[in-house]
Amino acid sequence: MKSALFTGAAVTLGLILATVGSAQASPVPESSTASHQPTAQARQHGIDRAGDAYMGWTQNTTTTAAPAVMAPTASVEGIDVSSHQGNVNWASYWSAGKRFAYVKATEGNYYTNPYFAQQYNGSYNVGMIRGAYHFATPNDSSGANQANYFLAHGGGWSRDGKTLPGALDIEYNPYGATCYGLSASAMVSWIRDFANTYKAATGRDVPIYTNLDWWSRCTGNSTAFNSTNPLWVAKYASSPGTLPGGWPFHTIWQYSSSPIDQDRFNGDMSRLQALANG
């Protein structure tokens, strides 16, 4: 009996120590349970569970109208999609003049888009230049961890002339605190960790999708990436407006979500092909 009691006490002590050790672990863990509950605002935008987040999910609180100005001569039209679009009729978008597409591949380190293959390969098969994007949840795991998860689930790159570098979607948190509980300096470090990991694996600098308000609030309007990473700016208005982070120009502009997320590449087709080729 004494031996059994001693064993039970030892097990209890071990569990307590394990719990203490877990509590003292890094504030950005290497694994996530993905037990997120979307906020009321996120639910209004169709985000019902962890994994449902998509590019610009809050942007349509302003307007979904197309730009009032005509597209510049040097531009290419495109779209971005996620699981919300399901199986996409790519031929119809090609006929409508869309020549590139970005497809959500992953979120955090717990979700992969179940429609990714149809969307990623389908856009390629009709002739579009396509790429994958990752919806970041910086409170879940490190930037390196999520970059590797993205790379392992469709976020890679090859110099085939038809594949754009993987993009990092870093924006409002649909599951809680706007800045994911990170300070501005910690957020910049997280983004750098993701970007450096992705570049080490592919040789490419990830385009960063964001908007002026979030970037200003959550990174302190950091200028750390404006000379290396292409800017994909979200602004549903007649022009991209003031750019975040001291970027001298935008590479892609997401300007509407009607009837689907609409994007415009800032350059002609030869420049888009150059971005694909690296």
CSV table of all heavy atoms in Angstrom, one decimal, residues 82-90 114-115 118-119:
chain,number,residue,atom,x,y,z
A,82,SER,N,-10.6,31.2,-51.8
A,82,SER,CA,-10.4,30.3,-50.6
A,82,SER,C,-11.5,29.2,-50.7
A,82,SER,O,-12.2,29.1,-51.7
A,82,SER,CB,-10.5,31.1,-49.3
A,82,SER,OG,-11.9,31.6,-49.1
A,83,SER,N,-11.7,28.5,-49.6
A,83,SER,CA,-12.7,27.4,-49.6
A,83,SER,C,-14.1,28.0,-49.7
A,83,SER,O,-15.0,27.2,-50.1
A,83,SER,CB,-12.6,26.7,-48.2
A,83,SER,OG,-12.9,27.5,-47.1
A,84,HIS,N,-14.3,29.3,-49.4
A,84,HIS,CA,-15.6,29.9,-49.6
A,84,HIS,C,-16.1,29.8,-51.0
A,84,HIS,O,-17.3,29.8,-51.2
A,84,HIS,CB,-15.6,31.3,-49.1
A,84,HIS,CG,-15.4,31.4,-47.6
A,84,HIS,ND1,-16.5,31.5,-46.7
A,84,HIS,CD2,-14.3,31.5,-46.9
A,84,HIS,CE1,-16.0,31.6,-45.5
A,84,HIS,NE2,-14.7,31.6,-45.5
A,85,GLN,N,-15.2,29.7,-52.0
A,85,GLN,CA,-15.6,29.7,-53.4
A,85,GLN,C,-15.9,28.3,-53.9
A,85,GLN,O,-16.4,28.1,-55.0
A,85,GLN,CB,-14.6,30.4,-54.3
A,85,GLN,CG,-14.7,31.9,-54.3
A,85,GLN,CD,-14.2,32.5,-53.0
A,85,GLN,OE1,-13.2,32.1,-52.4
A,85,GLN,NE2,-15.0,33.4,-52.5
A,86,GLY,N,-15.5,27.3,-53.1
A,86,GLY,CA,-15.6,25.9,-53.5
A,86,GLY,C,-14.9,25.6,-54.8
A,86,GLY,O,-13.9,26.2,-55.1
A,87,ASN,N,-15.5,24.7,-55.6
A,87,ASN,CA,-15.0,24.5,-57.0
A,87,ASN,C,-15.2,25.6,-57.9
A,87,ASN,O,-16.4,26.0,-58.1
A,87,ASN,CB,-15.6,23.2,-57.6
A,87,ASN,CG,-15.1,21.9,-56.8
A,87,ASN,OD1,-14.0,21.8,-56.4
A,87,ASN,ND2,-16.1,21.0,-56.6
A,88,VAL,N,-14.2,26.2,-58.4
A,88,VAL,CA,-14.3,27.4,-59.2
A,88,VAL,C,-14.3,27.1,-60.7
A,88,VAL,O,-13.6,26.2,-61.2
A,88,VAL,CB,-13.0,28.3,-58.9
A,88,VAL,CG1,-13.1,29.6,-59.8
A,88,VAL,CG2,-13.0,28.7,-57.4
A,89,ASN,N,-15.2,27.8,-61.4
A,89,ASN,CA,-15.3,27.7,-62.8
A,89,ASN,C,-14.2,28.6,-63.5
A,89,ASN,O,-14.5,29.8,-63.8
A,89,ASN,CB,-16.7,28.2,-63.3
A,89,ASN,CG,-16.9,28.0,-64.8
A,89,ASN,OD1,-15.9,27.8,-65.6
A,89,ASN,ND2,-18.1,28.0,-65.3
A,90,TRP,N,-13.0,28.1,-63.6
A,90,TRP,CA,-11.9,28.9,-64.0
A,90,TRP,C,-12.0,29.4,-65.5
A,90,TRP,O,-11.6,30.5,-65.8
A,90,TRP,CB,-10.6,28.1,-63.8
A,90,TRP,CG,-10.3,28.0,-62.4
A,90,TRP,CD1,-10.4,26.9,-61.6
A,90,TRP,CD2,-9.9,29.0,-61.5
A,90,TRP,NE1,-10.0,27.1,-60.3
A,90,TRP,CE2,-9.7,28.5,-60.2
A,90,TRP,CE3,-9.6,30.4,-61.7
A,90,TRP,CZ2,-9.3,29.2,-59.1
A,90,TRP,CZ3,-9.2,31.1,-60.6
A,90,TRP,CH2,-9.0,30.5,-59.3
A,114,PRO,N,-9.6,22.5,-48.4
A,114,PRO,CA,-10.0,21.3,-49.0
A,114,PRO,C,-10.2,21.4,-50.5
A,114,PRO,O,-10.3,20.4,-51.2
A,114,PRO,CB,-11.3,20.9,-48.3
A,114,PRO,CG,-11.9,22.2,-47.8
A,114,PRO,CD,-10.7,23.0,-47.4
A,115,TYR,N,-10.4,22.6,-51.0
A,115,TYR,CA,-10.6,22.9,-52.5
A,115,TYR,C,-9.3,23.3,-53.1
A,115,TYR,O,-9.3,23.7,-54.3
A,115,TYR,CB,-11.6,23.9,-52.7
A,115,TYR,CG,-13.0,23.5,-52.2
A,115,TYR,CD1,-13.5,23.9,-50.9
A,115,TYR,CD2,-13.9,22.8,-53.0
A,115,TYR,CE1,-14.7,23.5,-50.5
A,115,TYR,CE2,-15.1,22.4,-52.6
A,115,TYR,CZ,-15.5,22.8,-51.3
A,115,TYR,OH,-16.8,22.4,-50.9
A,118,GLN,N,-8.3,21.7,-56.7
A,118,GLN,CA,-9.1,22.2,-57.8
A,118,GLN,C,-8.9,23.6,-58.2
A,118,GLN,O,-8.8,24.0,-59.3
A,118,GLN,CB,-10.6,22.0,-57.4
A,118,GLN,CG,-11.6,22.1,-58.6
A,118,GLN,CD,-12.0,23.6,-58.9
A,118,GLN,OE1,-11.8,24.5,-58.2
A,118,GLN,NE2,-12.5,23.7,-60.1
A,119,GLN,N,-8.6,24.4,-57.2
A,119,GLN,CA,-8.5,25.9,-57.4
A,119,GLN,C,-7.1,26.2,-57.9
A,119,GLN,O,-6.9,26.9,-58.9
A,119,GLN,CB,-8.7,26.6,-56.1
A,119,GLN,CG,-10.2,26.5,-55.7
A,119,GLN,CD,-10.4,27.2,-54.3
A,119,GLN,OE1,-9.5,27.5,-53.6
A,119,GLN,NE2,-11.7,27.3,-53.9
